[in-house]
Amino acid sequence: MASSSSLTLSQALLTPSNAATSSSSSSSDRNRLSIPRFSGLKPSPISSASSSFAKRSHRRSLASRGPVVRAAAVETLQSTETALVEKSINTIRFLAIDAVEKANSGHPGLPMGCAPMGHILYDEVMRYNPKNPYWFNRDRFILSAGHGCMLQYALLHLAGYDSVKEEDLKSFRQWGSRTPGHPENFETPGVEVTTGPLGQGIANAVGQALAEKHLAARYNKSDAEIIDHYTYVILGDGCQMEGIANEACSLAGHWGLGKLIAFYDDNHISIDGDTEIAFTESVDTRFEGLGWHVIWVKNGNTGYDEIRAAIKEAKAVKDKPTLIKVTTTIGYGSPNKANSYSVHGSALGAKEVDATRKNLGWPYEPFHVPEDVKKHWSRHAANGAALEAEWNAKFAEYEKKYKDDAAELKAIVSGAFPAGWEKALPTYTPESPADATRNLSQQCLNALAKVLPGLLGGSADLASSNMTLLKMFGDFQKATPEERNVRFGVREHGMGAICNGIALHSPGLIPYCATFFVFTDYMRAAIRISALCEAGVIYVMTHDSIGLGEDGPTHQPIEHLASFRAMPNILMLRPADGNETAGAYKVAVLNRKRPSILALSRQKLPQLPGTSIEGVEKGGYTISDNSTGNKPDVILIGTGSELEIAAKAGEELRKEGKAVRVVSFVSWELFEEQSAEYKESVLPAAVTARVSIEAGSTFGWQKIVGSQGKAIGIDRFGASAPAGKIYKEFGLTSEAVVAAAKELI
Amino acid sequence: MASSSSLTLSQALLTPSNAATSSSSSSSDRNRLSIPRFSGLKPSPISSASSSFAKRSHRRSLASRGPVVRAAAVETLQSTETALVEKSINTIRFLAIDAVEKANSGHPGLPMGCAPMGHILYDEVMRYNPKNPYWFNRDRFILSAGHGCMLQYALLHLAGYDSVKEEDLKSFRQWGSRTPGHPENFETPGVEVTTGPLGQGIANAVGQALAEKHLAARYNKSDAEIIDHYTYVILGDGCQMEGIANEACSLAGHWGLGKLIAFYDDNHISIDGDTEIAFTESVDTRFEGLGWHVIWVKNGNTGYDEIRAAIKEAKAVKDKPTLIKVTTTIGYGSPNKANSYSVHGSALGAKEVDATRKNLGWPYEPFHVPEDVKKHWSRHAANGAALEAEWNAKFAEYEKKYKDDAAELKAIVSGAFPAGWEKALPTYTPESPADATRNLSQQCLNALAKVLPGLLGGSADLASSNMTLLKMFGDFQKATPEERNVRFGVREHGMGAICNGIALHSPGLIPYCATFFVFTDYMRAAIRISALCEAGVIYVMTHDSIGLGEDGPTHQPIEHLASFRAMPNILMLRPADGNETAGAYKVAVLNRKRPSILALSRQKLPQLPGTSIEGVEKGGYTISDNSTGNKPDVILIGTGSELEIAAKAGEELRKEGKAVRVVSFVSWELFEEQSAEYKESVLPAAVTARVSIEAGSTFGWQKIVGSQGKAIGIDRFGASAPAGKIYKEFGLTSEAVVAAAKELI
């Protein structure tokens, strides 16, 4: 893991003069790779770096930089080339200005201010392969201040990503383009996550850095550092104000994510004006309190060497994440709009674009990339391919020595499941003991952890209530990052976004996270982004109804099932017993591009006859039926803990000679996807006598029970009392189902 | 306002020896009030206190305390009475233990650890009238760590609140009791807000302290400090981890809420065990960064004088909120369970209850309050009545001198609206210019601000997009707290909970807050608590659909309308034009015990014929109809920006000779509350040809359009493109409505 990788591939690549004296990297290797080199890094031995750079020493290191760089017998960007750097930075600025201008929509201010750090990251620091944006060991970059996406599109364009060609820049924010208004990983290869809603990106980045640290700890060997990459983020004042950022950053400090390097674009401007009106805290002090290393780059506009030195310093601090506060001018270069909110979120306007062109000495047409800039960046395609080839060769070596580990890691990298993994899921008979689905969920999680190497996760300080501990593993902690139980603390929102970051780090990573179902309200923004960005996070949500009892209405979900059924691209699953819980996990694991929410009971439930994993996969299915010819007198429909009540009502009605079908409706989304034929076989259109029962809002149930049917549920807040009492008082009983059915038959 | 109130009523009361030398308080007054006095406060002159106590000087002040107290010729709790204090504290502990034991459910750990600070607050420090829990100028207490509610119930019981009698303690967490599992203001007078979901309470407290500072600045006079009270909070590790707490506390520091005093119960235990596993940040450093004064009470278990001195120090710091970190032992007194997670959330069990009784020397039966403790606390009824009477007399004086201010303040205190306030709302005709409902909303807000003295609010850094600025007022800031535009920064969750605190501070305060509709996801937990705790917050949610265009799917709400329609006790309003926006505001203002969400457009909308304020009040109503006998061929139903589309489709169908009714369905909840007759007059059961159109999820619409009808909406995520393009691509057009109608007719 990180602390032992004192001379890793990335460091060898990034400190060329050091690498030249290292026996672990032959000079022919270096020549073949044609690694980008740059000024600004003091090539001191790594062994002393971590102590000498642990303090805010970048000014000192800058002072002594010059001669050492000159002494290095390798290709470098000489200081005479600063003009080219500046030209590249202005290229980025004008690509952003021009694209926003053409769309007459967007945010030019951030790209103009952050172009210097963006240039240094993508041109000088980061390791990536533009022709394979999914190369596993790439450095990750996340623009948490997602509104500034033209910065990233410009950088991807210059770096040679096929996803952002000139025509894509020209169709910024247009229908069907690959350059939407905020960064979206599912639209634009090279974009790692989906940002825009503020604070999400920095939390995603914590997840990605967690994934790197975890995988490195599990798979790296003393003679093979097969996993070694950084996570870089740019976040702004808006992200810093959001609570989710504080949650995630507190965890990053706690976990000591040394390879997480966050650039805080400190431009003193937010949409409503100067940050003075609402944001006067000391961010530096807060981050020191959170256990981060903090560096301040006072001149983020032209202090290129300051930025470079800060990155070097950040890398030398291996036991803490680093916040580089970069003071910039929003809209840098715009003579009349820089340093004002007016440049944040609107096109500059033709007149100001002209003035900015004059001010920055930019004679080119819109969208023009000067030849020397183009040529300068063109090396990244070859360099990236070489980096990937080098890594592939390294992995081939690794595979020879460490066959089992390599196979596991391959599964994580590729997302392939081991054959027959689903056989590990437990099955139950009606004779199996009654149990809460939260406990049955733990049985599933522990069974799956044995066969799915990428399964890891935890709870927001409710592990012993959510029943989410993997018994065969310890805690993922700073000193034990190879373990798989993640302790998120009471930080639901950060937890969800961290899991999004983990899920999008590698296709085979399957993060799960847990809290009480009602507290999905705290993390709803992160859950929505799971759904949007196709992150197959498994949300283990226990205490899923008034059935939790005494904790009362603040803790009892009512509208939550409905609220997620209305959300696109997410599976809302409410299993009724052991087989259905196992089925829910099967579905959740298989849906790698669609998150799943499992609503699980606190209270014990019987193992019902007729339930099955296969049934769950269809979303809705018949668990018992004494009718013939697909013509029951009545259909009783239940989910989760209320399926038992529906089944009991069914038995009573049958005793009275009725033909009754009982249907489990565990997932509306899955049922919706079935064929019309199948749907008709479960809910025949001719049978309008339908009664549903669910301990939640009846909102939406009219679709299932129809205009003639009856939905029994709860359309008020809950109450504090023992669960059985609340069920009775709220009329969630088999008697109520029987009575409703009789009215309809 | 606060900084000028150097000798306020509360201070005179709480520093008796000082009051004795003050000319502003006659000795006869003091005798009549029989004010509780206590040791532990160094009665130095107030004028020097703020400098000498501004540093962490409580240890020094304690050292010099003794002789001064002896010199004071007033009744005090002598040090010999520490035994009684301890007995009172143990009474609190055992009331909590016994109630949890009887319920076999609840959280004894916090009350046992926090009993000392609880005792000191309610017995020695706070000013309240137990016989009138709603006395306006009371100090507010909020238990942010709401699971420890037995602490508060025990304190309310001892203090003489009628809401918590012995039988209430004995029915803790039972059906229908006034002592539910978490504190709920709507169940238990004396409880200010509803807590349990962690972090909400501290944010509520920021809102309550804001309200005090604001009202004091508006209504206090140099010769009449009519508003002067403190807000006290107890929060735990769980609250501290939640992002919402950081958001709210950052604002409290920014605003300089000097009368907010928060006790951080630093017990190192959360549900999953030692906080070491997930919470190792330096809270002290973070709060210093947030601009708070921080004090550490190292012995919160028995260091009574330390706690007292810390409160004195906190009060002396007038320009910053204070965090008193009180290190306690969770479950203090339990020999085998103290300092462990096992005492957090379960009954101790009979054996451990016995052991704790022995350990703390408690020979009494369950629920017993020793006579001397009872007698000691009994003075609060008379004292409280006297405090209120004194304040009433003061207010009567104030009223004579400042008639207009007194009338305004009375309206805020009582919640009475000025007669005819609703006439201030603007009205529109079809000839009025087309406009976005967010702009029309601003017209309403500015009109209402002139007639509703309690209206105040703002946006989460989107004031210029949400259009929420009150033009006649400046910004509520540290130096200008009398102003009414609140700048929340990008802190949606904190914003919502702060508004809950404001709303519950005084019946006539009407807080509104704003962000993009999609970002209700960030604040959903606070919005739900608005609904649950009956806080009539107005949520001004703009950019309410794909109609916002280029920002794309991260910014475009889809499922949000449905998700709030499923939530109990909240009004989801989606007005279509100016008249409907005015109607929505009328409804929102009138619903003081039910929050309202206004979904407003970014894009321009025409003023439609047939819309009205009165229509909105009914939730759903006909805006145009060419049918007779309540038998249209088809009913077209729209909301908000799609009502225009429905109206246009109606016109086209009429051109083809159809009898078409167009219905605006602005609020489902209000429509649901209408008489069956009215509902039939709008949506006759016999007319099953119904088409709805709404730029959101169709989830739930089957209830309105019926099994035969057709709901046009969006059941996928949005897209980044100009709004018109997305509408067309998604099929949200009048052509689609016409086609659907023709299929049904």
Side-chain angles (χ1 to χ4, degrees):
Chain A
M1 50 135 302
S3 62
S4 65
S5 62
S6 61
L7 193 64
T8 61
L9 180 62
S10 73
Q11 285 149 355
L13 295 177
L14 284 171
T15 55
S17 65
N18 184 51
T21 62
S22 160
S23 60
S24 72
S25 174
S26 77
S27 68
S28 66
D29 275 343
R30 276 178 290 113
N31 290 339
R32 185 170 60 77
L33 286 172
S34 308
I35 298 312
R37 270 122 196 156
F38 57 93
S39 63
L41 291 190
K42 181 192 169 193
S44 61
I46 293 292
S47 59
S48 71
S50 61
S51 59
S52 68
F53 282 94
K55 297 157 209 127
R56 291 195 192 188
S57 59
H58 58 282
R59 297 208 158 272
R60 185 167 50 76
S61 74
L62 278 172
S64 61
R65 177 183 50 83
V68 185
V69 169
R70 275 197 300 277
V74 292
E75 177 200 8
T76 62
L77 283 177
Q78 297 299 331
S79 58
T80 51
E81 295 180 32
T82 297
L84 182 58
V85 169
E86 222 139 61
K87 205 167 178 181
S88 167
I89 290 169
N90 279 334
T91 304
I92 297 162
R93 289 191 176 117
F94 281 97
L95 287 177
I97 291 169
D98 296 339
V100 172
E101 201 63 23
K102 183 160 192 300
N104 192 25
S105 174
H107 302 74
L110 183 139
M112 293 166 77
C114 292
M117 61 182 112
H119 167 87
I120 289 169
L121 275 174
Y122 269 83
D123 191 51
E124 302 178 2
V125 174
M126 281 171 55
R127 296 182 312 155
Y128 56 87
N129 179 6
K131 299 307 174 198
N132 177 10
Y134 304 107
W135 169 46
F136 169 70
N137 200 37
R138 69 194 180 277
D139 286 336
R140 268 69 171 175
F141 172 79
I142 291 176
L143 185 64
S144 189
H147 51 273
C149 56
M150 264 313 304
L151 172 72
Q152 194 170 8
Y153 297 149
L155 290 165
L156 293 174
H157 177 62
L158 291 176
Y161 283 79
D162 295 327
S163 48
V164 189
K165 304 269 194 199
E166 188 179 329
E167 60 264 31
D168 299 302
L169 296 175
K170 287 180 173 166
S171 57
F172 177 54
R173 295 191 149 217
Q174 302 309 303
W175 179 262
S177 85
R178 289 185 293 189
T179 47
H182 290 83
E184 294 165 0
N185 58 302
F186 53 95
E187 295 284 5
T188 319
V191 171
E192 302 288 351
V193 299
T194 292
T195 57
L198 294 172
Q200 299 290 332
I202 175 69
N204 295 161
V206 172
Q208 300 222 316
L210 177 157
E212 195 272 349
K213 189 178 170 96
H214 172 70
L215 294 175
R218 274 172 72 179
Y219 297 109
N220 281 356
K221 309 290 174 186
S222 57
D223 64 345
E225 303 280 346
I226 201 76
I227 297 162
D228 173 34
H229 50 267
Y230 286 85
T231 304
Y232 299 97
V233 202
I234 294 180
L235 72 164
D237 289 304
C239 292
Q240 287 288 20
M241 289 188 249
E242 291 285 6
I244 183 179
N246 194 71
E247 291 180 7
C249 290
S250 178
L251 282 170
H254 172 73
W255 290 326
L257 300 178
K259 282 179 165 172
L260 173 62
I261 300 178
F263 295 80
Y264 163 34
D265 175 29
D266 170 48
N267 64 29
H268 288 283
I269 298 293
S270 66
I271 294 178
D272 278 353
D274 196 290
T275 52
E276 279 298 309
I277 67 171
F279 189 48
T280 51
E281 66 173 60
S282 165
V283 174
D284 311 43
T285 305
R286 177 161 60 89
F287 270 76
E288 278 160 13
L290 297 181
W292 285 53
H293 181 67
V294 180
I295 305 172
W296 183 16
V297 170
K298 291 182 182 164
N299 174 10
N301 295 328
T302 58
Y304 315 131
D305 283 346
E306 262 191 90
I307 295 171
R308 291 167 178 140
I311 297 170
K312 169 119 179 132
E313 179 179 333
K315 288 189 171 184
V317 177
K318 295 184 185 304
D319 61 343
K320 291 179 174 186
T322 295
L323 184 79
I324 304 177
K325 181 169 94 169
V326 189
T327 300
T328 68
T329 303
I330 191 170
Y332 180 88
S334 162
N336 303 303
K337 295 193 168 180
N339 199 30
S340 92
Y341 69 92
S342 65
V343 78
H344 165 84
S346 315
L348 291 179
K351 204 174 144 192
E352 188 65 10
V353 170
D354 282 352
T356 307
R357 277 188 148 71
K358 278 201 193 85
N359 189 42
L360 291 177
W362 199 251
Y364 308 105
E365 287 297 294
F367 298 101
H368 182 75
V369 178
E371 275 313 309
D372 46 353
V373 172
K374 203 176 278 179
K375 182 167 177 295
H376 174 72
W377 281 82
S378 66
R379 74 194 188 287
H380 287 290
N383 287 358
L387 281 169
E388 181 168 355
E390 161 118 344
W391 187 83
N392 288 339
K394 203 169 171 180
F395 186 78
E397 282 296 306
Y398 180 91
E399 205 168 11
K400 279 182 214 159
K401 285 195 207 168
Y402 308 105
K403 208 180 152 203
D404 292 350
D405 281 327
E408 238 183 57
L409 178 56
K410 257 187 174 169
I412 288 172
V413 170
S414 68
F417 296 126
W421 66 273
E422 72 276 10
K423 294 196 188 94
L425 285 168
T427 54
Y428 303 83
T429 68
E431 289 69 42
S432 305
D435 208 347
T437 48
R438 62 174 169 151
N439 293 330
L440 299 161
S441 160
Q442 188 168 39
Q443 294 173 12
C444 292
L445 279 171
N446 277 274
L448 290 173
K450 289 180 191 146
V451 292
L452 298 175
L455 187 76
L456 79 168
S459 158
D461 195 46
L462 288 168
S464 50
S465 291
N466 302 140
M467 307 306 293
T468 46
L469 281 182
L470 303 179
K471 293 170 185 174
M472 62 196 287
F473 297 113
D475 285 358
F476 172 88
Q477 293 287 1
K478 189 172 182 173
T480 53
E482 71 281 6
E483 300 290 354
R484 296 210 232 160
N485 286 304
V486 186
R487 303 288 195 164
F488 290 101
V490 192
R491 303 182 183 93
E492 298 84 3
H493 200 180
M495 173 172 75
I498 287 169
C499 285
N500 285 339
I502 296 171
L504 295 179
H505 181 279
S506 294
L509 286 178
I510 308 177
Y512 66 91
C513 64
T515 184
F516 290 165
F517 188 33
V518 78
F519 298 138
T520 50
D521 284 350
Y522 274 70
M523 57 195 305
R524 195 169 167 93
I527 295 175
R528 186 177 206 257
I529 290 185
S530 301
L532 177 61
C533 79
E534 302 176 356
V537 177
I538 303 177
Y539 291 94
V540 180
M541 296 294 152
T542 72
H543 296 60
D544 74 341
S545 78
I546 52 162
L548 64 84
E550 290 89 342
D551 274 345
T554 51
H555 285 55
Q556 291 164 351
I558 296 290
E559 69 280 15
H560 298 74
L561 292 164
S563 80
F564 288 112
R565 287 174 185 149
M567 188 182 277
N569 200 45
I570 195 162
L571 293 171
M572 179 69 249
L573 296 141
R574 190 161 186 254
D577 64 2
N579 289 330
E580 288 205 350
T581 303
Y585 271 100
K586 184 176 177 193
V587 166
V589 168
L590 284 173
N591 274 273
R592 294 293 78 232
K593 295 204 161 194
R594 180 158 62 160
S596 298
I597 303 181
L598 277 61
L600 303 164
S601 77
R602 176 190 186 223
Q603 70 272 33
K604 274 194 186 179
L605 302 173
Q607 309 294 344
L608 296 168
T611 60
S612 68
I613 291 176
E614 299 69 36
V616 172
E617 292 183 286
K618 294 191 163 152
Y621 66 106
T622 301
I623 64 161
S624 70
D625 194 357
N626 66 333
S627 73
T628 51
N630 203 21
K631 280 183 188 162
D633 297 329
V634 65
I635 303 175
L636 308 182
I637 309 165
T639 78
S641 44
E642 288 67 67
L643 186 58
E644 173 192 5
I645 299 176
K648 197 175 163 206
E651 279 168 34
E652 305 202 359
L653 286 164
R654 284 173 198 145
K655 279 183 206 156
E656 299 181 26
K658 308 292 186 220
V660 184
R661 176 175 298 171
V662 179
V663 168
S664 171
F665 224 66
V666 60
S667 166
W668 293 30
E669 300 83 6
L670 293 174
F671 185 75
E672 188 64 32
E673 288 166 19
Q674 304 307 311
S675 67
E677 227 175 343
Y678 177 78
K679 286 192 243 182
E680 174 69 14
S681 78
V682 178
L683 298 178
V687 181
T688 59
R690 303 178 186 182
V691 181
S692 70
I693 182 160
E694 182 173 74
S697 168
T698 60
F699 191 84
W701 272 102
Q702 289 80 7
K703 181 177 178 182
I704 310 302
V705 298
S707 303
Q708 322 280 314
K710 161 107 179 158
I712 297 174
I714 309 171
D715 292 312
R716 52 158 285 184
F717 285 112
S720 172
K725 178 73 177 169
I726 313 176
Y727 265 84
K728 207 175 155 188
E729 292 286 344
F730 282 14
L732 292 164
T733 60
S734 60
E735 291 78 15
V737 176
V738 168
K742 285 184 179 171
E743 270 187 37
L744 299 176
I745 294 175
Chain B
M1 51 136 300
S3 64
S4 66
S5 62
S6 61
L7 193 63
T8 61
L9 180 62
S10 74
Q11 285 149 354
L13 295 179
L14 284 170
T15 54
S17 65
N18 184 52
T21 63
S22 162
S23 60
S24 71
S25 174
S26 76
S27 67
S28 66
D29 275 344
R30 275 177 291 113
N31 289 340
R32 184 171 61 78
L33 286 172
S34 307
I35 298 311
R37 271 124 196 155
F38 58 95
S39 62
L41 290 191
K42 180 191 168 192
S44 62
I46 293 292
S47 59
S48 71
S50 61
S51 58
S52 67
F53 282 96
K55 297 159 209 124
R56 292 195 191 186
S57 59
H58 58 283
R59 297 207 159 274
R60 186 167 51 74
S61 74
L62 279 173
S64 61
R65 178 182 50 84
V68 184
V69 169
R70 277 198 299 276
V74 291
E75 176 199 10
T76 62
L77 283 178
Q78 297 299 330
S79 59
T80 52
E81 294 180 33
T82 297
L84 182 58
V85 168
E86 222 140 62
K87 204 166 178 182
S88 167
I89 289 170
N90 279 334
T91 304
I92 297 161
R93 291 193 176 115
F94 280 98
L95 287 177
I97 290 169
D98 296 338
V100 172
E101 201 64 21
K102 182 159 192 298
N104 193 24
S105 173
H107 301 76
L110 184 140
M112 294 165 76
C114 292
M117 60 182 113
H119 167 87
I120 290 169
L121 275 174
Y122 269 82
D123 190 51
E124 302 179 1
V125 174
M126 280 171 54
R127 297 182 310 155
Y128 56 86
N129 179 7
K131 299 305 173 198
N132 178 10
Y134 303 107
W135 170 45
F136 169 69
N137 201 36
R138 69 192 180 278
D139 287 336
R140 269 69 171 174
F141 172 78
I142 291 176
L143 185 65
S144 190
H147 51 273
C149 55
M150 265 312 306
L151 173 73
Q152 195 169 6
Y153 298 148
L155 291 165
L156 293 174
H157 177 62
L158 291 176
Y161 283 79
D162 294 327
S163 48
V164 189
K165 305 268 193 198
E166 188 179 329
E167 61 265 30
D168 298 302
L169 296 174
K170 287 180 173 167
S171 57
F172 177 53
R173 294 189 151 220
Q174 302 309 304
W175 179 263
S177 85
R178 289 186 292 190
T179 47
H182 290 83
E184 293 164 0
N185 58 300
F186 53 94
E187 295 285 4
T188 319
V191 170
E192 301 288 352
V193 300
T194 292
T195 58
L198 294 172
Q200 299 290 332
I202 175 69
N204 295 161
V206 172
Q208 300 222 317
L210 178 156
E212 195 272 351
K213 188 178 171 95
H214 173 69
L215 293 175
R218 273 171 72 179
Y219 297 109
N220 281 355
K221 309 293 175 187
S222 56
D223 64 345
E225 303 280 345
I226 200 77
I227 296 161
D228 172 34
H229 51 267
Y230 285 85
T231 305
Y232 299 97
V233 202
I234 295 179
L235 72 164
D237 290 303
C239 292
Q240 287 288 19
M241 288 188 249
E242 292 284 7
I244 183 179
N246 194 70
E247 291 180 5
C249 290
S250 179
L251 282 170
H254 172 73
W255 290 327
L257 300 179
K259 283 180 166 170
L260 173 62
I261 300 178
F263 295 80
Y264 163 33
D265 176 28
D266 169 48
N267 65 29
H268 287 281
I269 297 294
S270 66
I271 294 177
D272 278 352
D274 195 290
T275 52
E276 279 299 309
I277 67 171
F279 189 49
T280 51
E281 66 173 60
S282 165
V283 173
D284 311 41
T285 305
R286 178 161 61 88
F287 270 77
E288 278 160 14
L290 297 180
W292 285 53
H293 181 67
V294 179
I295 304 172
W296 183 15
V297 170
K298 291 182 183 165
N299 174 10
N301 295 327
T302 58
Y304 314 131
D305 283 345
E306 263 191 89
I307 295 171
R308 291 167 178 141
I311 296 170
K312 168 119 180 132
E313 179 178 333
K315 288 190 171 183
V317 177
K318 296 184 185 306
D319 61 342
K320 289 179 174 188
T322 295
L323 183 79
I324 305 177
K325 180 170 96 167
V326 189
T327 299
T328 69
T329 303
I330 191 171
Y332 180 88
S334 162
N336 303 302
K337 295 193 168 180
N339 200 29
S340 93
Y341 70 92
S342 66
V343 78
H344 165 84
S346 314
L348 291 178
K351 205 174 140 190
E352 188 65 12
V353 170
D354 283 351
T356 307
R357 276 189 148 71
K358 277 201 193 84
N359 189 42
L360 292 177
W362 198 251
Y364 308 106
E365 289 296 293
F367 298 102
H368 181 76
V369 178
E371 275 312 309
D372 46 353
V373 172
K374 204 177 276 179
K375 181 166 178 293
H376 174 72
W377 280 83
S378 66
R379 74 196 188 286
H380 286 290
N383 287 358
L387 281 169
E388 182 169 353
E390 161 119 342
W391 188 83
N392 288 340
K394 202 169 170 180
F395 186 79
E397 282 297 305
Y398 180 92
E399 206 168 9
K400 280 183 211 156
K401 285 195 206 167
Y402 307 105
K403 206 179 154 208
D404 292 351
D405 281 327
E408 241 183 54
L409 179 56
K410 257 188 174 168
I412 288 171
V413 170
S414 69
F417 296 126
W421 67 271
E422 72 277 11
K423 294 197 187 96
L425 285 166
T427 53
Y428 304 85
T429 68
E431 289 69 43
S432 306
D435 208 345
T437 48
R438 61 173 170 152
N439 293 331
L440 300 161
S441 160
Q442 187 167 40
Q443 294 173 11
C444 292
L445 279 171
N446 277 275
L448 290 174
K450 288 181 190 142
V451 292
L452 298 175
L455 186 76
L456 79 167
S459 158
D461 194 46
L462 288 168
S464 51
S465 291
N466 302 140
M467 308 306 292
T468 46
L469 280 182
L470 303 179
K471 293 171 185 173
M472 61 197 287
F473 297 112
D475 285 358
F476 173 89
Q477 293 288 2
K478 189 173 183 173
T480 53
E482 71 281 6
E483 299 290 354
R484 296 209 232 160
N485 287 303
V486 185
R487 304 288 195 164
F488 290 102
V490 193
R491 303 181 183 95
E492 299 84 4
H493 200 179
M495 173 171 75
I498 287 170
C499 286
N500 285 338
I502 296 171
L504 296 179
H505 180 279
S506 295
L509 287 178
I510 307 176
Y512 66 91
C513 65
T515 184
F516 290 165
F517 189 33
V518 77
F519 297 138
T520 50
D521 284 350
Y522 274 69
M523 57 193 306
R524 196 169 167 94
I527 295 176
R528 186 177 207 255
I529 290 185
S530 301
L532 177 61
C533 78
E534 303 175 354
V537 177
I538 303 177
Y539 291 94
V540 181
M541 296 294 152
T542 72
H543 296 60
D544 74 341
S545 76
I546 52 162
L548 64 86
E550 290 89 342
D551 275 343
T554 52
H555 284 56
Q556 293 164 349
I558 296 291
E559 69 279 16
H560 298 75
L561 292 166
S563 80
F564 288 111
R565 287 174 185 149
M567 187 182 277
N569 198 45
I570 195 162
L571 293 170
M572 179 68 249
L573 296 140
R574 191 162 185 253
D577 65 1
N579 289 331
E580 288 205 350
T581 302
Y585 272 100
K586 184 176 177 194
V587 166
V589 168
L590 285 174
N591 275 272
R592 294 292 80 232
K593 295 204 161 196
R594 181 158 60 160
S596 298
I597 302 182
L598 277 60
L600 302 164
S601 77
R602 176 190 186 222
Q603 70 272 34
K604 274 193 185 180
L605 302 173
Q607 309 294 345
L608 296 168
T611 59
S612 69
I613 291 177
E614 298 71 33
V616 172
E617 293 182 286
K618 294 191 163 153
Y621 66 106
T622 300
I623 64 161
S624 71
D625 195 356
N626 66 333
S627 73
T628 50
N630 204 19
K631 282 183 188 162
D633 297 328
V634 65
I635 304 175
L636 308 181
I637 309 165
T639 78
S641 45
E642 287 69 66
L643 186 59
E644 173 193 6
I645 299 176
K648 198 176 162 206
E651 279 168 34
E652 305 203 359
L653 287 165
R654 284 172 198 146
K655 278 182 206 156
E656 299 180 27
K658 308 294 186 218
V660 183
R661 174 175 299 172
V662 179
V663 168
S664 172
F665 224 66
V666 59
S667 165
W668 295 30
E669 300 84 5
L670 293 174
F671 185 74
E672 188 66 32
E673 288 165 18
Q674 304 307 311
S675 67
E677 227 176 340
Y678 178 79
K679 286 192 243 183
E680 174 69 15
S681 79
V682 178
L683 298 179
V687 182
T688 59
R690 303 178 186 181
V691 180
S692 70
I693 182 162
E694 181 173 75
S697 168
T698 61
F699 191 84
W701 272 102
Q702 288 80 7
K703 181 177 177 181
I704 310 302
V705 298
S707 303
Q708 322 281 314
K710 161 105 179 162
I712 297 174
I714 309 170
D715 292 311
R716 51 158 288 183
F717 285 113
S720 172
K725 179 72 177 168
I726 313 177
Y727 266 84
K728 208 175 157 188
E729 293 286 343
F730 282 13
L732 292 164
T733 61
S734 60
E735 292 77 16
V737 176
V738 168
K742 285 184 178 171
E743 271 186 36
L744 299 177
I745 295 174

